Amino acid sequence: MEKPKTEKINLTDIISETIRSLKIPESVRVILNLPDEPLFVDIEAEQIRIALKNVIRNAVQAMNESGMLTIITQPKEEGFVEMTLTENGP
């Protein structure tokens, strides 16, 4: 397997773009708790987009397409970010 080609990217932008690209039912309320300042991390953007799309789709399905999805990010030590996704499905 080829080593990922990473670059410093604002994770907040990746999350926002990913949410906008998905067809999330109107019955699912999405709450983004993202800091105002950019969260630059050294990642392969496409891999993160794919992972986020999969987790978000799974969350929407678990809620039977109705409920609340919350995404929280917070900076940790330099270059690291903690991201939490929660949903209120069964």
Side-chain angles (χ1 to χ4, degrees):
M1 187 171 197
E2 201 174 303
K3 184 178 179 182
K5 295 175 184 137
T6 62
E7 59 183 312
K8 278 207 183 276
I9 295 182
N10 182 358
L11 184 60
T12 302
D13 290 343
I14 298 289
I15 293 168
S16 298
E17 291 166 9
T18 301
I19 292 291
R20 283 192 305 270
S21 74
L22 293 170
K23 292 183 181 177
I24 298 174
E26 288 184 25
S27 56
V28 173
R29 183 172 171 214
V30 178
I31 298 172
L32 299 177
N33 188 346
L34 311 173
D36 293 331
E37 68 275 356
L39 292 172
F40 287 101
V41 288
D42 195 26
I43 59 173
E44 186 171 304
E46 193 55 31
Q47 286 183 350
I48 297 300
R49 281 186 188 97
I50 290 168
L52 274 172
K53 284 180 181 182
N54 288 336
V55 170
I56 292 168
R57 285 181 184 134
N58 289 345
V60 169
Q61 289 173 353
M63 293 185 286
N64 294 322
E65 299 189 356
S66 177
M68 184 168 46
L69 170 66
T70 305
I71 301 174
I72 302 170
T73 60
Q74 55 187 359
K76 292 296 181 182
E77 58 191 74
E78 188 174 328
F80 291 89
V81 173
E82 178 179 80
M83 182 179 356
T84 306
L85 287 91
T86 57
E87 43 88 357
N88 65 350

